[in-house]
Structure formats: structure tokens, C-alpha cells
Amino acid sequence: MTDNRVNLKKIKALHIHTDLKFIGETSIFEGPYFNNQIIYLGDSKSYQGPFEDKLIYNKRNYFGLKKLIRICNSSDIVVLYDLDPIKSAIANSVSENIKIAWRFFGYELYKRKKELYVSRTSLETVTESGKLDFINDLVSFSVFSSLKPVNLFFDSSFDRAVSRIDFFLCLSRMEYTELSKEWPGLPPCIEIPFWGEIGDLKPQELWEMKEPTIILGNNKSIYNNHLDLFKELENSSKVSEYNFIIPFSYGAENEYTNAVRLKVKEQSRYSLLEDFLPYKNYNEIIRQTSALIINSYRQIGMDTIFMALAGGVKVYLNSKNITYPWLKSRGFKIFDINSIGEDLGNHDVKLSVLEIECNIQALRELKESYPKTEFQRNLVEKF
């Protein structure tokens, strides 16, 4: 399909969200190729952002979902932001002639082989290793269960949805290649562009903002392996010179989060950030910290990581995490979590001005080398 043909008629894209935090990602579809409609499955009117005037709220019940499927069938492409049971049901109910794209978040696949991505210490806090995800899925699904007729939801199979979907949207083809080894039947991959903000502060200004504070993880998720990180930090004699902020504003409460809370209560230098902050406020906290440490074996918290890189923060990742080699391959100064003890001892948990400049430049190159217009063309050409 040529650009001239596309310009004659925009492709009707329907974006379906169940988490307000990710509404902003719709921006990568803005431009000459798509006519976008954004729907949030839920009653909340709390979203405040650039799409506030465009966002449509759809009821989370059988009648609302039935209406939504009709809207899907009048679109050219449906973009599902994650693939939970509700969106799997949507994928399996939409007409075969409608294209479907799955914006991959991570948990949808990683939770199916949790033992590969969660430390032994973390798993030991959970009575049954698969129990938590099963309960979360069940709660999400039960929103409709009391109202649904059986014939609408008979086909809510995740595997069937994956085989129905046309495009797998993810940030890193390197991650897709790794995932394909465990799940060889994934839909074709289309990389998405960087959607975040870089800001206009100078490297020197960012360096001067830094306080002896370190952020640990990105949310309550067990994949953050907080407990292993606590143990590693306590081995350093210099740990008392820093304060640690643990983002804990979203995610399910369970045995794992109870264990983290108990550990935090034992150490005055640790504090939980339990209030969900607007982007601007959270970004301000990140820019004032010296380092971000995410002890995850899987891709997670990319918004937080990009905010940290743009904010001149020293980012430590676990080398098992595919994000670690991917970011390094893109020219970012990223550090192995195994070096945190030595760096604390040497007071080296803060980037130099030159390192901050390097990461900001790498972020600009990431954005400029693959603009959203190129992503859109790559997608449109598949029609």
C-alpha cells in the first residue's frame, strides 16, 4: 500500500484500554495514517491527559462489551493494550476481516513461566507459585461473569486469541526474538517507537539536582525481586548514607507484598511510595534521585526507566533482563545490578555529567532513528 493511497482514506483504529496509565501510548498512532478512537473499559473519569477530550468510557458489563464488539467490527484495526481475559474474549469475537494488534506489556507471557523470571526468594513468599496470577485473572473475568450469556464468552481462550491476532507490538525486537524461543507461535512483530518525553534541562542542571536517594523497583510486582535487592544492599557498609524509595502504588496485595512491607518496616532508610502520582510529579521525584535499581529478570517498568535516563539517573538492571543488553546495544550507559555493592562503597551511584549527556543523546537517537511515522508506515503496509 503506497502513501498516496493511505492519504486518501485514513485507517480507522480503535484503541481499547483497561489501565488509564497507558492511554498516552495512543500518541504513536497520531498522524496522517490513522483516524483514532480510544475506549477505556471502566467507569472511572479520573484520567487527566492529552486524550481527555477524546476518551470514551465503556461499561464493564455484558451489554457494554457487546456494544464494544460492534464498534470493533466497524473499524479497520483494533489495538488491544495488553491481553487479559477480557481482551482475549474481544479478540475471539471480532470479525475475521478486522485486523487486531496486541500491544504487549509483558506479564501476559512472563506469568506463564514465572519460575524463569522470579527469584527463589520471591517465590518462597508465595504459597502456590501460580496462585496469584490465577486469582487476578479470575477477578478481572468475574466482572462480566454474572451478566454474560455463555455463548459470548465461550471463546475467551488466551491461546486462541494469540493465534487470531495479526500484529505483536513491542518496543524491542531483541525481546521478541527471546520470547519466540519459549512461545514460537507469536504473531508477527512490529516494533513501536519511543513515546516518552526527553525534557530540556541541561546535563549539568540534572547532575546538580541529585540527592543521596535511590529508587528500588517500579511497582508492587513480584517480578521486581525486592527482597533479594534488600539483602544485597544490606551487605554494604555505606548503605546508611542513602535513602531508598520503593514505588508501591499499584499492583495486587498478596503474600509477596506483605513480605516487602515487613522488611521496609524494619529499616528506617526505606520508604514506600504508595500514592499514585501524576506523570509530572513522579518525574520530578525521579530526576532528584541518584540511581534507579530494578532487579527484574524480565522487561518491566519501561516508562520509569526512560524517565530515569532522561532525568540523568544512573540505571541498574539485572543482566538476566533482556532490557539490559537491548539498552546497551542502543548506546545507553546501563549498569549491572551486581556492581551496586561496590559502587555504594565507592560513592559511585551517581552519573557524571558526561554520562548523563550520553544517555540523553542515546534517547534522542532512539526517538529520531525510528519516528512514529515510520512505525505507522510499517503497520499500514501490512494491510
Side-chain angles (χ1 to χ4, degrees), residues 209-215 239-245 269 288-291 349-350:
M209 293 173 64
K210 299 295 175 275
E211 298 176 356
T213 303
I214 297 174
I215 293 179
V239 70
S240 60
E241 299 178 16
Y242 296 86
N243 292 315
F244 298 88
I245 298 174
R269 66 182 65 91
Q288 292 176 358
T289 60
S290 295
V349 289
K350 179 180 176 181

Side-chain angles (χ1 to χ4, degrees), residues 86-131:
I86 296 170
K87 298 192 196 75
S88 293
I90 293 171
N92 293 329
S93 301
V94 170
S95 298
E96 287 292 330
N97 62 313
I98 307 300
K99 299 289 187 184
I100 301 179
W102 166 20
R103 168 59 177 107
F104 175 66
F105 281 10
Y107 80 92
E108 306 100 303
L109 293 180
Y110 292 121
K111 74 175 184 179
R112 285 169 164 76
K113 296 191 177 181
K114 181 183 284 186
E115 69 280 359
L116 299 178
Y117 306 104
V118 176
S119 74
R120 178 174 297 182
T121 302
S122 297
L123 281 176
E124 287 174 351
T125 67
V126 183
T127 307
E128 299 173 35
S129 62
K131 178 180 176 183

Side-chain angles (χ1 to χ4, degrees), residues 323-341:
T323 307
Y324 176 82
W326 178 68
L327 287 173
K328 289 183 75 69
S329 74
R330 302 305 301 249
F332 290 96
K333 297 291 184 183
I334 304 295
F335 298 84
D336 192 322
I337 203 168
N338 289 328
S339 66
I340 187 61

Side-chain angles (χ1 to χ4, degrees), residues 263-304:
K263 187 64 179 177
V264 168
K265 287 181 180 179
E266 297 173 355
Q267 302 290 343
S268 60
R269 66 182 65 91
Y270 296 145
S271 63
L272 297 178
L273 181 58
E274 301 192 76
D275 294 328
F276 186 79
L277 302 176
Y279 177 92
K280 181 179 180 181
N281 301 80
Y282 187 47
N283 193 30
E284 187 65 26
I285 290 175
I286 288 178
R287 285 192 301 184
Q288 292 176 358
T289 60
S290 295
L292 166 69
I293 310 175
I294 297 183
N295 187 29
S296 174
Y297 302 171
R298 49 150 284 201
Q299 173 263 113
I300 195 172
M302 294 307 302
D303 270 326
T304 299

Side-chain angles (χ1 to χ4, degrees), residues 138-157:
L138 188 62
V139 169
S140 178
F141 186 75
S142 67
V143 172
F144 300 97
S145 61
S146 62
L147 297 173
K148 69 177 181 62
V150 175
N151 64 351
L152 179 64
F153 281 88
F154 75 96
D155 195 6
S156 58
S157 161

Side-chain angles (χ1 to χ4, degrees), residues 106-204:
Y107 80 92
E108 306 100 303
L109 293 180
Y110 292 121
K111 74 175 184 179
R112 285 169 164 76
K113 296 191 177 181
K114 181 183 284 186
E115 69 280 359
L116 299 178
Y117 306 104
V118 176
S119 74
R120 178 174 297 182
T121 302
S122 297
L123 281 176
E124 287 174 351
T125 67
V126 183
T127 307
E128 299 173 35
S129 62
K131 178 180 176 183
L132 300 180
D133 289 320
F134 172 75
I135 291 175
N136 289 340
D137 285 349
L138 188 62
V139 169
S140 178
F141 186 75
S142 67
V143 172
F144 300 97
S145 61
S146 62
L147 297 173
K148 69 177 181 62
V150 175
N151 64 351
L152 179 64
F153 281 88
F154 75 96
D155 195 6
S156 58
S157 161
F158 175 82
D159 292 335
R160 181 70 181 272
V162 170
S163 66
R164 165 65 181 88
I165 288 168
D166 299 280
F167 312 117
F168 184 96
L169 308 183
C170 68
L171 189 62
S172 161
R173 187 170 292 275
M174 187 182 291
E175 180 183 20
Y176 177 80
T177 300
E178 286 297 306
L179 289 169
S180 296
K181 295 175 184 177
E182 296 290 338
W183 294 277
L186 293 176
C189 171
I190 297 180
E191 290 178 287
I192 63 173
F194 168 63
W195 61 87
E197 300 175 3
I198 298 177
D200 55 4
L201 290 178
K202 305 296 185 187
Q204 181 68 36

